[in-house]
RNA sequence: GGGGUUGUAGCUCAGUCGGUUAGAGUGCCAGCCUGUCACGCUGGAAGUCGCGGGUUCGAGUCCCGUCAGCCCCGCCA
């Protein structure tokens, strides 16, 4: 049977959009075969395109012999062109958008064949493991779930571009090949062929360019740009990711924030959400004190409380010692109300202890009010009145569970912040159907780096110090606040920005504070210092993490689900096998030498029991066929559809 | 760099205390079937138990190493 050509076959309708109104119309459709249901002399085919699925039908009485033969040759994922008349179904399928109608075939073109997919192409209970999904991403992306996610992503970027255009922003592209700045994340480097020994760096963000565009007088800049950071990955971190990057002149922090709130208002409905304006503002200090996190999830209202003073005269040494420590160490607690909390088991508490220990914390003393009354790991030190006082201090009524942590603020924040999230999730207090936006503001300007034994910039070294803290820049850097703000959504940092330094003198003081000398500053950031000297306007901006934002809008827990071709946690692409070894010639041109002998990996597949003339077309199919050591493959030779039994044998390896 | 976890048929998984020929569902192939839509019925093919080593009379199962996926800590100005 010959493979058909597309010539003179024009699509008239989208599969997923056929309705009762189309009854009687002759239609031409294109798409992939989702499923064949062959009842003998009655055959159904579900035809899928990006708009949905429609049922095709033909039977022995009405269809020509040739058409029936074609129908019987069709297998899953074949590419088809269908011609027929839209008709009402005898019994409709309420699970399909097109369930009222079907297409009675008059003609069917087989435009291409397909090997049996190595992973399920339909959304169902059996989702393949992720390594296979990534290896065969082009098939995985056919699934409705991923099609929906990428369409959502496209909606977000469209809304974003329209929104900022409406607010007078200008889209400017900044270089991908730039200068390496060792401050911050590790750079991805690109060797220069023309300049032996020199390297470009891929941008971690277009930070300096967008500031220079303000000096250049653009006033409002937007770019949806790719950024690169050579650091270890997480569920919400990829080595390359997309940022919605903006910068504005003559603005205060609140002006930038308001602009972003307006965008969130337009984007939230994509997830069926509404954004309440203005968003809450929470100083960094309070976020750490109450939620133990600089990106608190406010869907749960439980706060960390300081109960140190309650134990000033306690017999429980651990707590009293903290009370005696003049604030060096504190006793802090979380209280969760409810029956479920009151019934939290010993085993579950033990698991929680492990979490705390993993974070470098000590044990987690607890107090529990449940069906069996009061229980606590320090019960023998608590009498009746003390228990009552504890309850009052925690604001506890009825049943519930209190978890305590003792130690420095940094440690108890880290531990209780994590415990808070886990218990909130366990007790069903993180409402999945809610969006809680939040600005965390007044971040510290510096943090102490143990590794470098000096202060480093918390955000980046171009962040403006808080005007009230300017005097402390030299005297008490650790206490300086920055005009920096993060946008937090449901416990995820979806954006961060700041008002920048536009005064060359302040910028110099800033560099001095983080131990960058004048010469080094000149050397690394001379262009910026120059720019600040020629009339830089007050300016500031923000960058939104597009991947995380879309992830939250899509309601998935992983940014790989909203990226077409993501990398694995080991920063590899399983589909293309990047990064890969390159020719010695390429390395020579780039003036590079490898430390250890280069490993060349190559393999060639041959197939036994396949006629010689089929070897070449089979080789093209090898990626798919490799999954089945022995299989029947369908392939095309000179436009002819043929089936062959194949047996895989390993090819020679080359050194 | 560190910790945890997973790896058995194309796919998703089960496999007890170390013991006969390693199973199920699904997919695939073949036959039958005129209203299916998770079609049904019958039959069939399909396994380097991730890889390497060790313990043992005997290893999918125990031990060591290693590779890969995922999650977390460090890291991510």
């Amino acid at each position: 049977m010959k493979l058909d050509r597309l010539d003179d076959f024009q699509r008239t309708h989208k599969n997923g959009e056929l309705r009762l109104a189309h009854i009687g119309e002759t239609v031409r459709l294109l798409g992939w075969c989702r499923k064949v249901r062959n009842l003998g002399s009655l055959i159904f085919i579900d035809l899928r395109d990006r708009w949905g699925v429609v049922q095709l039908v033909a039977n022995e009485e009405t269809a020509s012999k040739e058409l029936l033969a074609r129908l019987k040759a069709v297998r899953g994922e074949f590419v088809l062109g269908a011609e027929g008349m839209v008709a009402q179904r005898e019994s409709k399928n309420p699970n399909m958008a097109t369930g009222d109608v079907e297409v009675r075939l008059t003609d069917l073109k087989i435009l291409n064949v397909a090997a049996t997919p190595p992973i399920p192409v339909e959304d169902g209970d059996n989702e393949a493991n992720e390594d296979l999904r990534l290896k065969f991403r082009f098939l995985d992306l056919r699934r409705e779930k991923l099609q929906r996610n990428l369409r959502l992503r496209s909606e977000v970027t469209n809304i974003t571009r329209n929104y900022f255009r409406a607010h007078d922003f200008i889209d400017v592209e900044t270089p991908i090949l730039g200068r390496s700045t060792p401050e911050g994340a590790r750079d991805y480097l690109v060797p220069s062929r023309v300049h032996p020994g020199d390297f470009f760096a891929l941008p971690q963000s277009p930070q300096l360019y967008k500031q220079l565009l303000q000096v250049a007088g653009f006033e409002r800049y937007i770019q949806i740009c790719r950024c690169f950071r050579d650091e270890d990955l997480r569920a919400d971190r990829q080595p390359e990711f997309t940022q919605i990057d903006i910068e504005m002149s003559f603005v205060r922090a609140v002006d930038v924030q308001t602009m972003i709130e307006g965008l969130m208002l337009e984007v939230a409905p994509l997830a069926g959400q509404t954004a309440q304006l203005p968003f809450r503002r929470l100083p960094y200090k309070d976020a750490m004190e109450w939620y133990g996190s600089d990106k608190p999830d406010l869907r749960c209202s439980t706060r960390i409380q300081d109960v140190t003073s309650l134990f000033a005269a306690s017999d429980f040494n651990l707590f009293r010692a903290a009370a005696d420590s003049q604030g060096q160490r504190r006793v802090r607690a979380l209280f969760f109300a409810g029956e479920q909390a009151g019934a939290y088991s010993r085993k579950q508490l033990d698991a929680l202890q492990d979490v705390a220990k993993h974070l470098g914390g000590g044990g987690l003393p607890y107090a529990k009010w449940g069906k069996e009354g009061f229980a606590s790991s320090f019960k023998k030190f608590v009498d009746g009145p003390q228990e009552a006082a504890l309850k009052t201090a925690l604001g506890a009524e009825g049943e519930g569970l209190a978890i305590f942590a003792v130690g420095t603020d940094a440690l108890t924040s880290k531990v209780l912040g994590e415990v808070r999230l886990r218990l909130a999730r366990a007790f069903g207090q993180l409402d999945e159907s809610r969006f809680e936006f939040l600005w965390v503001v007044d971040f510290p300007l510096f943090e102490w780096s143990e590794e470098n034994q000096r202060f480093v910039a918390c955000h980046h070294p171009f962040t403006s110090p808080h005007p009230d803290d300017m005097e402390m820049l030299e005297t008490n850097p650790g206490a300086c606040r920055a005009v920096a703000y993060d946008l937090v959504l449901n416990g995820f940092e979806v954006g961060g920005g700041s008002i920048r330094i536009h005064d060359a003198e302040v910028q110099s003081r800033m560099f001095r504070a983080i131990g960058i000398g004048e010469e080094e500053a000149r050397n690394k950031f001379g262009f910026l210092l120059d720019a600040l000297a020629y009339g830089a306007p007050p300016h500031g901006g923000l960058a939104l993490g597009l991947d995380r934002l879309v992830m939250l809008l899509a309601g998935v827990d992983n940014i790989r689900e909203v990226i077409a071709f993501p990398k694995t946690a080991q920063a590899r692409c399983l589909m293309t096998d990047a990064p890969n070894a390159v020719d010695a010639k390429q390395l020579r041109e780039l003036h590079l030498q490898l430390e250890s002998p280069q490993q060349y990996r190559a393999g060639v597949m041959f197939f036994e029991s396949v006629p010689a003339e089929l070897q070449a077309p089979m080789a093209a199919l090898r990626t798919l066929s490799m999954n089945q050591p022995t299989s029947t493959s369908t392939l095309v030779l000179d436009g002819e559809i043929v089936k062959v039994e194949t047996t895989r044998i390993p090819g020679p390896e080359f050194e």
Side-chain angles (χ1 to χ4, degrees), chain A residues 56-72:
Chain A
L56 313 176
V57 63
N59 69 45
E60 229 165 34
E61 287 165 16
T62 55
S64 70
K65 246 187 180 162
E66 206 211 328
L67 176 55
L68 280 174
R70 283 158 178 278
L71 283 165
K72 283 177 181 170

Side-chain angles (χ1 to χ4, degrees), chain A residues 29-194:
Chain A
L29 307 172
L30 293 165
W32 286 262
C33 170
R34 182 180 79 157
K35 185 85 188 170
V36 183
R37 285 181 298 278
N38 183 348
L39 276 61
S41 36
L42 177 66
I43 297 179
F44 298 98
I45 291 178
D46 288 342
L47 190 68
R48 179 187 63 236
D49 64 13
R50 43 170 288 217
W51 296 277
V53 177
V54 71
Q55 176 169 282
L56 313 176
V57 63
N59 69 45
E60 229 165 34
E61 287 165 16
T62 55
S64 70
K65 246 187 180 162
E66 206 211 328
L67 176 55
L68 280 174
R70 283 158 178 278
L71 283 165
K72 283 177 181 170
V74 172
R75 294 291 181 270
E77 301 308 316
F78 275 30
V79 186
L80 306 175
E83 185 187 80
M85 198 178 70
V86 180
Q88 185 159 10
R89 289 205 196 182
E90 287 185 11
S91 59
K92 60 183 174 186
N93 182 346
N95 300 320
M96 291 173 82
T98 61
D100 288 326
V101 297
E102 63 190 1
V103 174
R104 305 223 164 118
L105 287 174
T106 52
D107 192 16
L108 183 82
K109 293 183 183 301
I110 297 180
L111 299 170
N112 207 351
V113 299
T116 301
I119 59 171
V121 177
E122 284 303 306
D123 288 322
D125 333 305
N126 281 4
E127 184 172 76
N129 284 323
E130 205 172 349
D131 45 351
L132 279 169
R133 292 179 52 206
L134 291 177
K135 183 169 164 60
F136 299 100
R137 192 61 163 177
F138 45 87
L139 289 176
D140 198 36
L141 286 169
R142 278 185 196 167
R143 295 164 57 217
E144 205 217 324
K145 179 178 135 186
L146 290 177
Q147 295 252 330
R148 199 171 50 228
N149 289 351
L150 290 186
R151 204 167 310 155
L152 173 68
R153 186 180 175 115
S154 172
E155 284 297 312
V156 172
T157 52
N158 279 329
I159 287 172
T160 300
R161 290 208 170 88
N162 290 335
Y163 176 84
F164 285 113
R165 192 175 65 168
H167 285 88
D168 252 346
F169 281 69
I170 296 174
D171 184 334
V172 183
E173 290 163 273
T174 54
I176 292 291
L177 296 176
R179 189 194 156 89
S180 175
T181 50
E183 287 276 320
R186 226 172 266 123
D187 283 322
Y188 273 102
L189 294 177
V190 180
S192 163
R193 174 183 58 82
V194 188

Side-chain angles (χ1 to χ4, degrees), chain A residues 606-612 614-615 618 629-631 643-649:
Chain A
F606 293 103
F607 299 88
E608 282 178 340
S609 72
V610 173
L614 291 185
Q615 286 283 351
M618 285 304 300
T630 307
S631 63
K643 288 196 168 194
V644 282
E645 277 294 327
T646 60
T647 306
R648 186 190 76 191
I649 58 166

Side-chain angles (χ1 to χ4, degrees), chain A residues 390-460:
Chain A
L390 188 58
K391 270 193 105 162
T392 309
L394 291 169
E397 278 174 30
E399 297 179 30
L401 170 70
I403 301 288
F404 299 80
V406 191
T408 61
D409 289 357
L411 187 65
T412 53
S413 283
K414 191 165 148 191
V415 169
L416 290 178
E418 178 64 27
V419 167
R420 178 177 173 274
L421 282 179
R422 279 175 189 258
L423 291 182
R425 211 168 289 137
F427 300 148
Q429 293 180 15
L430 291 182
D431 184 355
E432 298 290 332
S433 67
R434 248 169 73 198
F435 267 20
E436 285 289 344
F437 284 103
L438 164 77
W439 290 107
V440 176
V441 301
D442 294 341
F443 273 81
L445 188 58
F446 304 106
E447 63 191 346
W448 180 256
S449 164
E450 283 298 329
E451 190 194 330
N452 300 313
Q453 285 297 302
R454 64 174 172 89
F455 281 103
V456 296
C458 239
H459 191 49
H460 55 59

Side-chain angles (χ1 to χ4, degrees), chain A residues 334-595:
Chain A
L334 279 167
F335 179 78
F336 285 89
E339 248 179 71
Q340 230 183 329
Y344 208 61
S345 73
R346 184 57 199 263
K347 196 174 157 192
Q348 291 169 308
L349 283 163
D350 284 346
L352 215 54
Q353 303 276 355
D354 291 342
V355 172
K357 288 202 180 102
H358 203 73
L359 293 173
L364 293 176
Y366 69 90
K368 192 169 72 168
W369 292 271
K371 291 265 182 290
E372 285 86 39
F374 178 62
S376 170
S377 54
F378 52 95
K379 191 174 180 180
K380 60 181 171 181
F381 302 113
V382 182
D383 60 22
Q386 284 170 329
E387 184 204 326
L390 188 58
K391 270 193 105 162
T392 309
L394 291 169
E397 278 174 30
E399 297 179 30
L401 170 70
I403 301 288
F404 299 80
V406 191
T408 61
D409 289 357
L411 187 65
T412 53
S413 283
K414 191 165 148 191
V415 169
L416 290 178
E418 178 64 27
V419 167
R420 178 177 173 274
L421 282 179
R422 279 175 189 258
L423 291 182
R425 211 168 289 137
F427 300 148
Q429 293 180 15
L430 291 182
D431 184 355
E432 298 290 332
S433 67
R434 248 169 73 198
F435 267 20
E436 285 289 344
F437 284 103
L438 164 77
W439 290 107
V440 176
V441 301
D442 294 341
F443 273 81
L445 188 58
F446 304 106
E447 63 191 346
W448 180 256
S449 164
E450 283 298 329
E451 190 194 330
N452 300 313
Q453 285 297 302
R454 64 174 172 89
F455 281 103
V456 296
C458 239
H459 191 49
H460 55 59
F462 320 109
T463 303
S464 175
H466 196 287
D468 297 343
D469 298 347
M470 202 67 85
E471 304 313 316
M472 292 193 292
L473 216 49
E474 287 83 13
T475 54
N476 188 6
C480 275
R481 288 167 300 167
V483 190
Y485 34 84
D486 276 2
L487 179 62
V488 176
L489 172 55
N490 292 358
F492 285 90
E493 180 197 331
V494 293
S498 64
I499 296 300
R500 329 294 183 190
I501 297 169
H502 67 281
D503 179 314
E505 171 60 24
V506 176
Q507 187 64 67
S508 295
R509 287 171 67 192
M510 184 72 187
F511 281 142
R512 260 201 305 280
I514 55 175
I516 296 183
E518 212 147 300
E519 196 180 329
E520 190 183 356
R522 191 72 237 161
N523 192 16
K524 279 183 183 165
F525 304 112
F527 56 99
L528 178 72
L529 296 172
D530 285 346
L532 293 181
Y534 290 102
H539 63 285
L542 174 137
L544 290 167
L546 177 68
D547 313 279
R548 281 184 197 167
L549 182 62
V550 176
M551 170 185 90
L552 291 164
L553 290 168
V556 296
D557 57 8
N558 188 319
I559 60 172
R560 291 186 299 274
E561 299 296 318
V562 298
I563 295 174
F565 301 104
K567 311 253 183 311
T568 69
Q570 297 305 312
R572 291 171 0 115
C573 172
L574 294 180
M575 190 178 66
T576 63
D577 244 339
N580 60 314
V582 297
D583 287 347
K585 177 168 176 271
Q586 280 177 287
L587 288 176
R588 267 198 308 278
E589 283 178 345
L590 294 169
H591 324 284
L592 294 178
Q593 225 174 356
L594 295 181
E595 238 178 318

